[in-house]
Amino acid sequence: MRLKTFLSALTFVMAISVFWQASVFGESHLNESYLNLVESYDEHKSEQSLTENKASLENTTQVLHELSSSSDKEKSQLGVCENYEIEPNNDRNLADRVSLDCYVYGLITDNYYDLDYYELTITQAGELNIVGVLGSYANYSEYLGILLYDTDENFLAGSSLFVGPDSEAQALSQYVTPGTYYIVVLQTSEYKYLLVDEPYIIQPYMTAGSTNVPVSYVVINEDNTDLKVGETKNVTASIEPSNATNKDVTWSSSNRSVATVDNQGMITAVGSGTTNIIVTTADGQKTDSIIVTVSERNIPVESISVGESEIELTIGSSKTVSTTIAPNNATNQTISWVSNNPSIATVDQGGKISAVSEGRTTITAITADGGKHASVSVNVSKEDDFEQWEPNFDVEVNKTWQVEYNLSLDISTIIQKNIYITDEEGNILPMLYIIDRTKNNSIVQLAPVKDYEQGNTYTMWIKDIKAENGSILNENVKMEFTIKN
């Protein structure tokens, strides 16, 4: 059958295209579709590997270059199969049907966002190659984009620039099975109207004896998993079919602050939380994922100690005992308190010991983790009779108290047991005891190691202070004082 001339066919295409775009689609609709396809093309074009069919691509590229600059008469003398673009073909429902091994002639119409769809039927599995050039002398091929989709509108491949010894073209290679496929041709130049009215030629063909087997899906060989911070776990993935040509995968984590994963699937727990560990195939971008939940690592209690091994209390008084757990970063630091004899002294779960009656008992702290324990011996005696001195108010936070006697003091009686200051809970505060030797050892000063708390009330206790001659200098006394705010 005599072929139409390329020029007349392109003129017809242009006329139909102008009418179609003006009457059927709004310009914004076409522009949006074009931009979406360009984005898909830019995203995937670097994934093409064209080395396997290099020889056939070089040969086809050379032929297309010759065709692009040949006259209609020269083309017809070649006696090859030719298909021509017939507008409108701006979407898959209007796609022009083309055949394998045929040269397809098309045109970038007066709208730079022109999309040309072609329907191609494959009857035998193998490697589909599509090669194309753009421009009257194939001089704009770098701006040609060729995309391949299946009937479910899944993107399969995008072309990349193939550079041969003497010429260049856009090319893609994709393993396909029998079925219908769609080829989309577009221009990708940022100079939008540079290529208007430029012709292009593409040719789809199969490579004989192709052995490429595409990936169907990938599965991680592990269920969702739990890890402690610092733990690791190696996971693997299986690719189907098992004889897929390219089994390369990459691993990633959706939240690297929870867990990371290396290229061998080794997961490392970093911090508490959840993350998705994802495997992605290089062929077809197939994915699978599992959920990894990370919790803090359990650090067991090794021991517990109390701040004092023995305390003295009077009936009605109380004292809070501190504890220390080792290691200090143990996970569970919960403790419970018990009294060996609550009729003598009780203890609450904050470690506050309250004297009930005369006698001696043991108070024990026990850890919830491991049952480690430590004890304090408590001696409870009757409260001495103390004369109440006049209370003081608005006392400075660093107040040093001075107690003056008429006789020289027996320094051995100036001890915490005989002269001390307690807080509102009955805890004895650490004090500095200063004896003024310039005054014949008759003056005692009590200075706080650290400042008193503003607004709190304290009590100073004095008892059993003796003179050097052994006599008791005064009766037991106590004085309350309140720190100013």
Side-chain angles (χ1 to χ4, degrees):
M1 182 178 67
R2 188 171 62 86
L3 298 175
K4 300 177 181 178
T5 65
F6 186 36
L7 179 60
S8 62
L10 294 181
T11 303
F12 174 71
V13 166
M14 290 178 60
I16 295 295
S17 175
V18 172
F19 169 77
W20 171 256
Q21 292 172 0
S23 61
V24 179
F25 283 107
E27 182 172 317
S28 61
H29 173 84
L30 289 172
N31 197 13
E32 181 180 358
S33 298
Y34 167 81
L35 292 175
N36 289 338
L37 286 178
V38 168
E39 181 180 358
S40 179
Y41 170 77
D42 288 340
E43 180 181 354
H44 296 286
K45 64 181 178 180
S46 62
E47 298 171 3
Q48 277 292 308
S49 175
L50 302 173
T51 57
E52 184 176 347
N53 302 318
K54 184 177 180 181
S56 68
L57 292 176
E58 287 180 353
N59 180 64
T60 305
T61 298
Q62 186 63 38
V63 172
L64 292 180
H65 270 257
E66 293 174 1
L67 285 175
S68 67
S69 58
S70 298
S71 66
D72 294 334
K73 181 179 180 180
E74 290 171 330
K75 294 172 186 173
S76 64
Q77 290 174 345
L78 292 175
V80 295
C81 173
E82 295 176 312
N83 295 144
Y84 288 88
E85 176 194 11
I86 300 176
E87 291 276 11
N89 63 340
N90 299 86
D91 65 36
R92 56 182 292 173
N93 295 321
L94 298 166
D96 296 333
R97 291 185 179 180
V98 295
S99 302
L100 284 173
D101 301 320
C102 288
Y103 296 101
V104 181
Y105 296 91
L107 188 74
I108 303 299
T109 59
D110 59 343
N111 289 304
Y112 71 88
Y113 44 78
D114 181 33
L115 300 174
D116 295 334
Y117 280 77
Y118 299 98
E119 180 182 305
L120 177 67
T121 300
I122 302 296
T123 59
Q124 186 174 355
E127 192 80 10
L128 172 63
N129 303 277
I130 306 175
V131 184
V133 294
L134 174 62
S136 299
Y137 295 93
N139 52 334
Y140 291 121
S141 297
E142 63 180 299
Y143 301 120
L144 182 65
I146 306 172
L147 298 90
L148 182 66
Y149 291 84
D150 63 16
T151 54
D152 294 323
E153 300 186 10
N154 294 313
F155 176 88
L156 300 180
S159 67
S160 57
L161 189 65
F162 174 78
V163 180
D166 303 312
S167 55
E168 61 184 28
Q170 288 289 328
L172 66 81
S173 295
Q174 175 67 31
Y175 181 86
V176 293
T177 55
T180 300
Y181 296 86
Y182 292 91
I183 303 168
V184 183
V185 179
L186 49 78
Q187 68 88 18
T188 63
S189 172
E190 294 182 357
Y191 301 96
K192 296 182 170 37
Y193 294 97
L194 172 66
L195 304 174
V196 169
D197 296 338
E198 289 291 342
Y200 63 81
I201 312 173
I202 65 170
Q203 184 190 33
Y205 64 94
M206 301 293 287
T207 302
S210 174
T211 58
N212 182 70
V213 179
V215 171
S216 297
Y217 61 89
V218 62
V219 176
I220 297 177
N221 301 321
E222 298 285 345
D223 294 327
N224 297 336
T225 189
D226 297 333
L227 294 174
K228 301 290 186 183
V229 172
E231 290 182 341
T232 60
K233 184 181 182 70
N234 188 245
V235 294
T236 59
S238 295
I239 287 177
E240 292 295 334
S242 59
N243 64 335
T245 302
N246 186 354
K247 294 185 177 182
D248 292 341
V249 299
T250 57
W251 293 88
S252 61
S253 170
S254 64
N255 190 340
R256 292 177 56 83
S257 65
V258 173
T260 61
V261 61
D262 65 16
N263 287 333
Q264 285 68 51
M266 180 63 73
I267 302 171
T268 301
V270 178
S272 58
T274 59
T275 185
N276 292 315
I277 298 299
I278 306 161
V279 63
T280 305
T281 64
D283 178 12
Q285 303 293 296
K286 310 296 184 181
T287 63
D288 191 26
S289 64
I290 60 172
I291 298 173
V292 174
T293 302
V294 178
S295 56
E296 293 296 331
R297 181 167 58 95
N298 182 64
I299 301 175
V301 172
E302 296 177 1
S303 65
I304 184 174
S305 60
V306 291
E308 300 175 67
S309 60
E310 184 174 355
I311 61 173
E312 298 280 343
L313 293 175
T314 57
I315 297 172
S317 65
S318 62
K319 181 178 179 64
T320 300
V321 178
S322 63
T323 59
T324 302
I325 288 177
N328 59 11
N329 62 338
T331 303
N332 186 354
Q333 300 202 16
T334 303
I335 61 175
S336 59
W337 292 87
V338 294
S339 172
N340 190 47
N341 192 340
S343 65
I344 294 175
T346 61
V347 61
D348 66 17
Q349 294 310 303
K352 181 178 179 180
I353 302 171
S354 299
V356 178
S357 63
E358 279 189 281
R360 182 177 291 275
T361 188
T362 300
I363 303 296
T364 304
I366 305 171
T367 65
D369 178 13
K372 309 296 181 181
H373 55 85
S375 300
V376 56
S377 178
V378 179
N379 184 40
V380 180
S381 59
K382 289 183 178 180
E383 183 178 6
D384 295 323
D385 293 329
F386 284 85
E387 178 185 350
Q388 179 74 53
W389 282 357
E390 189 74 21
N392 278 258
F393 300 97
D394 293 330
V395 175
E396 298 293 336
V397 295
N398 60 351
K399 171 70 175 179
T400 296
W401 295 100
Q402 180 170 293
V403 183
E404 187 171 352
Y405 294 89
N406 295 325
L407 299 174
S408 296
L409 300 174
D410 177 358
I411 295 177
S412 67
T413 64
I414 308 302
I415 57 177
Q416 189 183 70
K417 181 180 178 180
N418 295 338
I419 181 168
Y420 55 92
I421 294 176
T422 59
D423 61 18
E424 293 175 345
E425 294 185 347
N427 298 308
I428 297 176
L429 305 184
M431 306 295 293
L432 295 177
Y433 294 85
I434 304 169
I435 307 296
D436 190 347
R437 297 185 181 276
T438 64
K439 300 294 185 179
N440 199 25
N441 293 347
S442 61
I443 297 177
V444 179
Q445 294 180 333
L446 276 74
V449 172
K450 65 177 183 178
D451 290 350
Y452 300 110
E453 295 289 336
Q454 291 182 340
N456 286 5
T457 298
Y458 299 86
T459 304
M460 181 167 61
W461 307 79
I462 303 174
K463 66 175 184 176
D464 300 334
I465 303 298
K466 295 181 180 180
E468 284 184 331
N469 60 15
S471 61
I472 300 296
L473 291 180
N474 58 265
E475 297 297 327
N476 300 336
V477 296
K478 65 179 180 179
M479 180 192 71
E480 292 183 352
F481 60 93
T482 302
I483 308 303
K484 68 179 181 180
N485 288 314

